[in-house]
Amino acid sequence: RSSCPCHFIFGSSSAESPLFIQAPQPARHSILPSLEAGNCPRLQPRRTMKCLTVFTALAAVRPRVAAFGRAPHARPRTNLPSAVEAPSAGSELSARASKLKQVLEKEYITFFDPMVTSWYAPEVSFRDPMTSLSGVDSYQNNVDMLAGRTLMGKVLFEGAGIILHSVTGGEIVERNGEVAVDDIITRWTLRVTAKVLPWTPEAVFSGISVYKVQPGGPEGLQIVGQTDFWDSINIAEGTDSLNAKEQYQEVPKPTAVQHFLDQLKPEGFVAPSAAVEVPYVLLRAGDGYEIRRYPGFVGAQTTYERRDVGYGSLGAFSKGMDPLAPSICRVYNDEDSAEPTEKTMTWP
């Protein structure tokens, strides 16, 4: 439309200009030589900037036109992969096992209220040193009774609580040529008060639960059995402490019942504590011992030969400080060494 080759190539800037502009190939190649040789009769420095600006703007417009499918030679592009791998059975089971462990953590925190029954097989079995039962309903009723959520539970117990220390296991293994999930093991401490007795004794148990799991059920993985062991009666001597399946062995039921009744007996005369006790978490209640986790604290410590002397020294030092219980004594098992380590007594 113009004698200027620049206008001929790029078209008019008026409203009637077509959206998609095609220029003859020879003219497209001749634009830069025309500008360099000064062949444009109206070519001035200001005009040169105008032509270059139009060229740059049009270069930015053309990809948008092609995106609407108007370019005759445009080809659609795709970023889709050529092939998508389906997840393996092992990876799916691993994901379900991780989810089940999260469900168990929530159940322990809420004392199984609610109990997510979709993760349990209808015929699930439960065994602890005193009890054996099967079926989801029986399983849930037993937990509800212990927690005081049933009529009988409200009469017998109060203050029941369980602390979860760890959830381990659930690795993918191969059994008989098939992919399976290894047992899931939880470690816990259970406390319950028998309010039906006038002296309201508290029974404390620490131990582990071994969950047998199998593929199936509405969640893709289900618990088919749970076996509980107590640290106080089920740990076998001379076994590997790092192998729970070897360390914990079943015992006769009368042994378990007697252990439970022993915790419910009146303690008789018990000297009152000399001070408020530092709060702690009971990690393990074994046969004649306890493993506790105390919080960090500032304390006074002294060496001693006789316990009464240690008490006297710390009592004189902490007078007016309101020390806490217990008195922590550290005794080293090195009496046969040339220089035995001195015993220490600490008051928080």
Side-chain angles (χ1 to χ4, degrees):
R1 296 182 181 181
S2 170
S3 60
C4 176
C6 303
H7 287 165
F8 172 77
I9 294 172
F10 296 116
S12 171
S13 60
S14 65
E16 62 181 2
S17 300
L19 179 63
F20 187 87
I21 303 170
Q22 298 242 359
Q25 193 70 17
R28 184 188 301 271
H29 291 303
S30 63
I31 177 173
L32 291 181
S34 298
L35 293 175
E36 293 175 358
N39 295 328
C40 178
R42 294 182 291 172
L43 188 59
Q44 300 294 334
R46 185 176 300 176
R47 177 68 63 179
T48 303
M49 293 302 298
K50 176 179 179 182
C51 294
L52 290 178
T53 302
V54 174
F55 179 80
T56 304
L58 189 59
V61 169
R62 291 201 54 165
R64 295 187 218 164
V65 177
F68 285 93
R70 299 291 303 276
H73 302 295
R75 294 183 180 179
R77 295 183 181 180
T78 177
N79 293 325
L80 295 177
S82 57
V84 178
E85 294 185 4
S88 64
S91 61
E92 290 183 352
L93 280 179
S94 179
R96 303 318 295 162
S98 298
K99 178 62 176 178
L100 175 55
K101 291 164 75 172
Q102 295 176 3
V103 170
L104 289 173
E105 289 180 2
K106 293 180 180 179
E107 287 186 331
Y108 277 77
I109 291 173
T110 62
F111 208 153
F112 297 85
D113 184 22
M115 176 178 170
V116 189
T117 57
S118 60
W119 287 93
Y120 294 81
E123 65 283 359
V124 60
S125 63
F126 172 82
R127 288 186 303 162
D128 70 8
M130 291 197 310
T131 311
S132 296
L133 50 88
S134 61
V136 174
D137 292 339
S138 299
Y139 185 111
Q140 189 167 10
N141 287 336
N142 184 66
V143 175
D144 288 343
M145 180 190 68
L146 191 62
R149 293 192 289 265
T150 65
L151 180 59
M152 182 177 293
K154 291 177 181 178
V155 173
L156 297 176
F157 306 113
E158 69 176 0
I162 190 167
I163 299 175
L164 178 66
H165 303 302
S166 65
V167 182
T168 57
E171 292 83 6
I172 303 302
V173 296
E174 185 175 342
R175 294 176 184 159
N176 301 323
E178 296 183 356
V179 177
V181 181
D182 202 7
D183 298 342
I184 295 176
I185 300 176
T186 60
R187 170 161 285 283
W188 42 262
T189 299
L190 172 68
R191 294 176 179 270
V192 61
T193 300
K195 75 173 184 179
V196 69
L197 299 175
W199 55 93
T200 60
E202 182 184 56
V204 181
F205 304 92
S206 69
I208 65 170
S209 295
V210 180
Y211 292 88
K212 298 285 184 182
V213 294
Q214 291 180 358
E219 303 291 349
L221 191 67
Q222 58 185 354
I223 298 171
V224 298
Q226 175 184 343
T227 305
D228 289 1
F229 298 98
W230 299 346
D231 293 329
S232 51
I233 59 175
N234 291 118
I235 294 180
E237 295 184 3
T239 54
D240 185 1
S241 61
L242 299 179
N243 187 343
K245 297 178 183 178
E246 177 186 343
Q247 183 184 26
Y248 290 87
Q249 305 291 332
E250 294 186 4
V251 298
K253 254 180 198 179
T255 302
V257 173
Q258 186 61 49
H259 176 67
F260 177 63
L261 294 177
D262 288 343
Q263 295 198 64
L264 301 182
K265 290 180 180 178
E267 296 182 355
F269 174 76
V270 178
S273 176
V276 178
E277 188 168 3
V278 176
Y280 64 89
V281 176
L282 180 64
L283 300 179
R284 180 172 293 191
D287 185 11
Y289 69 91
E290 291 184 350
I291 298 178
R292 304 175 178 181
R293 182 171 63 215
Y294 285 94
F297 60 85
V298 176
Q301 185 179 91
T302 185
T303 59
Y304 71 98
E305 288 294 331
R306 289 172 37 186
R307 188 171 297 183
D308 58 339
V309 175
Y311 282 132
S313 299
L314 289 178
F317 176 80
S318 60
K319 188 174 181 180
M321 295 185 183
D322 295 329
L324 303 175
S327 176
I328 302 173
C329 299
R330 182 172 297 176
V331 181
Y332 297 88
N333 188 21
D334 60 351
E335 295 180 356
D336 297 333
S337 62
E339 295 182 3
T341 307
E342 292 184 301
K343 298 181 291 185
T344 62
M345 181 183 295
T346 305
W347 286 6

